[in-house]
Amino acid sequence: VVDSLVPNSVVKRREAIEGSFREFLRLKIQRRPIQTAYTITLVLVTLVVLFSATWVGFYVARGITVPIQRLADGARAVAQGDLEHRIAGEGNDEIGTLVTAFNAMTGDLAAGRAEIETRRRTLETVLANITAGVVSADAQGRITTMNQAAAGLLDVSPVTAVGMPLALVCAS
């Protein structure tokens, strides 16, 4: 039997090591649930960010595509002859500038069409009351207008002569 005295500092160190080892074992058991909780939290945050980014993307895309769709619809309406078509939603961005320019363009086209119609009516009135025969033709040589004096000289009806080749009407 050997009897020796162990210093007090070694005993305290041994107790500290033993306590640390017990704490390590306790934390080792709790490690898996903590990891799972952090993983679930990270996945949820990722999904929230992903859905938020998708929603913001759709919102921004809709803010761009809706005005462009309105411009396309307006262009179709103008192409079909509706020069009174206006697009709402003017703004300070590029799309707003396009909308403002579109509305100004349709206004200018409507004013130009009204001016042309006024001039056409004036010209028709002058041609109807002039005693000289006047015939107008397009680039293909087809009659577009004919006054009564020209119809009398050529001995044709102005209604049937419009659209016919000028050479054919003059030859008869």
Side-chain angles (χ1 to χ4, degrees):
V1 173
V2 177
D3 189 19
S4 66
L5 186 62
V6 178
N8 203 12
S9 63
V10 173
V11 172
K12 285 185 179 180
R13 251 190 244 149
R14 185 190 66 80
E15 287 173 355
I17 290 171
E18 208 174 276
S20 295
F21 183 68
R22 274 187 298 227
E23 181 70 17
F24 169 75
L25 290 177
R26 187 181 66 77
L27 290 176
K28 185 177 179 183
I29 293 170
Q30 291 179 347
R31 185 178 94 193
R32 182 61 82 197
I34 291 173
Q35 259 184 342
T36 304
Y38 280 132
T39 303
I40 290 171
T41 303
L42 183 63
V43 166
L44 288 176
V45 168
T46 302
L47 288 174
V48 167
V49 168
L50 183 66
F51 287 133
S52 297
T54 303
W55 182 82
V56 167
F58 281 131
Y59 180 78
V60 169
R62 187 180 50 192
I64 293 171
T65 57
V66 168
I68 290 176
Q69 182 63 40
R70 286 184 188 149
L71 278 169
D73 293 341
R76 276 191 286 283
V78 169
Q80 293 173 354
D82 180 13
L83 296 181
E84 298 303 318
H85 188 82
R86 298 291 183 266
I87 299 173
E90 299 177 4
N92 295 331
D93 59 352
E94 291 83 4
I95 303 278
T97 303
L98 280 173
V99 168
T100 303
F102 178 85
N103 289 336
M105 176 196 69
T106 56
D108 291 346
L109 286 172
R113 181 181 276 177
E115 176 69 24
I116 288 172
E117 185 61 26
T118 302
R119 287 184 182 188
R120 185 188 63 77
R121 275 190 252 120
T122 304
L123 183 61
E124 284 178 356
T125 303
V126 168
L127 288 177
N129 294 319
I130 196 169
T131 57
V134 177
V135 176
S136 64
D138 61 10
Q140 287 79 27
R142 297 195 181 277
I143 296 175
T144 56
T145 58
M146 175 183 284
N147 69 354
Q148 286 295 337
L153 290 172
L154 295 172
D155 194 31
V156 293
S157 167
V159 175
T160 57
V162 171
M164 292 178 61
L166 183 60
L168 181 67
V169 173
C170 292
S172 58

